[in-house]
């Protein structure tokens, strides 16, 4: 699914598998999760298996993917990328730095945010735009979860370039629906087809290395919300924001 949200020069790999065979990790990766619980180890390993498939898509040999501050993946020289994992979906997206300045991807279960989280991660204007939380089982889009995922993609795009923390309430997001129409903008389509669209993220904390507005895509399919953001190296020539 994530490959549908990114251009052709980004190499994507995804899986719904929850585990990978023993020996998938490099020794230095194994050391990072040696004391972790099984779920953390599985999330880590399946995401890195996706990363190596994405490397192959760029013609790169498989290498270990370690992490830096805030868990940021450390990619080979000249490569940018992003990882995501949630119950039922793991993915990696990689590109050459000559083609992409930075990118972020995220996947979440399509379900309401836990109680109390919505208010912590949204601005009042965003809550007004997305409306009240949708009850489970009604076929409605859980816009709070879509927004949460989109902000994760924004952060993953922002942080590797700036090295600055970006709080959830330091980006103001607006969503647009472009495909898979249901009974209305707030409902999923009948028959199991996907809902999708775009979003803009107006950054309330700015840095000259990135535009003040980021653009992304979202998609809901088979119970998963996926989002992406991508910035080109020449954004100053094509985007005056």
């Amino acid at each position: 699914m994530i490959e549908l949200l990114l251009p052709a020069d980004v190499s994507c790999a995804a899986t719904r598998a929850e585990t990978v065979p023993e020996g998938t990790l490099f020794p230095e990766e194994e050391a990072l999760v040696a004391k972790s619980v099984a779920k953390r180890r599985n999330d880590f390993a399946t995401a890195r298996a996706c990363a190596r498939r994405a490397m192959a898509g760029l013609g790169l040999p498989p290498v270990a993917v370690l992490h830096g501050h805030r868990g940021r993946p450390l990619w080979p020289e000249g490569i940018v990328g992003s990882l995501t994992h949630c119950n039922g979906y793991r993915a990696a997206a990689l590109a050459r730095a000559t083609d992409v300045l930075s990118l972020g991807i995220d996947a979440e279960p399509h379900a309401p945010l836990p109680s109390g989280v919505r208010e912590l991660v949204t601005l009042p204007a965003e809550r007004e735009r997305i409306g009240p939380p949708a009850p489970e089982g009604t076929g409605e889009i859980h816009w709070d979860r879509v927004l949460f995922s989109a902000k994760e993609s924004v952060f993953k795009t922002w942080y590797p370039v700036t090295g600055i923390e970006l709080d959830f309430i330091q980006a103001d997001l607006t969503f647009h629906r472009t495909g898979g129409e249901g009974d209305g903008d707030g409902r999923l389509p009948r028959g199991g087809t996907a809902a999708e669209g775009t979003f803009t993220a107006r950054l309330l904390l700015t840095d000259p290395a990135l535009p003040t507005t980021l653009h992304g895509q979202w998609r809901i399919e088979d119970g998963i919300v996926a989002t992406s953001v991508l910035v080109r190296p020449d954004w100053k020539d094509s985007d005056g924001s």
Side-chain angles (χ1 to χ4, degrees):
M1 177 165 59
I2 203 70
E3 71 278 1
L4 300 176
L5 305 181
L6 290 162
D9 55 357
V10 178
S11 178
C12 299
T15 183
R16 297 235 176 205
E18 299 287 335
T19 61
V20 291
E22 288 294 325
T24 295
L25 294 179
F26 282 77
E28 52 268 52
E29 293 172 328
E30 284 278 7
L32 295 176
V33 291
K35 298 181 180 179
S36 300
V37 299
K39 183 182 185 307
R40 166 60 180 155
R41 287 179 56 85
N42 289 336
D43 289 346
F44 184 93
T46 50
R48 275 150 182 81
C50 288
R52 285 188 263 283
R53 286 167 49 206
M55 289 176 193
L58 293 176
L60 300 173
V63 298
V65 181
L66 306 182
H67 59 67
H69 182 59
R70 289 293 302 266
R72 179 172 70 90
L74 301 177
W75 302 110
E77 184 72 24
I79 299 298
V80 299
S82 184
L83 299 175
T84 188
H85 51 77
C86 71
N87 288 339
Y89 193 80
R90 290 91 158 87
L94 276 69
R96 298 190 182 278
T98 51
D99 298 322
V100 175
L101 174 65
S102 189
L103 66 89
I105 63 171
D106 187 70
E108 302 282 336
H110 183 233
L113 287 174
S115 177
V117 175
R118 174 187 169 99
E119 288 69 27
L120 294 176
V121 302
T122 59
L123 295 162
E126 292 174 322
R127 292 195 290 273
E128 183 175 346
R129 287 194 292 268
I130 66 175
E136 286 197 81
T138 60
E140 295 185 44
I141 291 176
H142 298 294
W143 286 110
D144 54 351
R145 184 70 73 160
V146 180
L147 186 147
F148 178 86
S149 177
K151 288 197 173 186
E152 286 285 329
S153 288
V154 167
F155 177 84
K156 291 177 181 179
T157 304
W158 160 276
Y159 185 75
V161 177
T162 67
I164 300 170
E165 302 283 344
L166 186 71
D167 194 87
F168 280 104
I169 59 172
Q170 289 178 310
D172 185 4
L173 273 59
T174 302
F175 292 89
H176 307 278
R177 190 165 178 181
T178 58
E181 296 295 337
D183 295 332
D185 282 349
R187 293 188 64 81
L188 291 169
R190 294 188 180 95
T193 56
E196 60 185 9
T198 62
F199 63 90
T200 57
R202 182 171 62 89
L203 300 179
L204 306 182
L205 177 66
T206 61
D207 187 283
L210 287 171
T212 57
T213 299
L214 301 181
H215 301 275
Q217 299 190 63
W218 61 269
R219 185 177 177 90
I220 303 169
E221 186 175 1
D222 295 332
I224 299 294
V225 176
T227 59
S228 72
V229 174
L230 181 144
V231 179
R232 295 289 187 183
D234 63 349
W235 66 267
K236 290 184 180 179
D237 298 329
S238 57
D239 186 342
S241 59

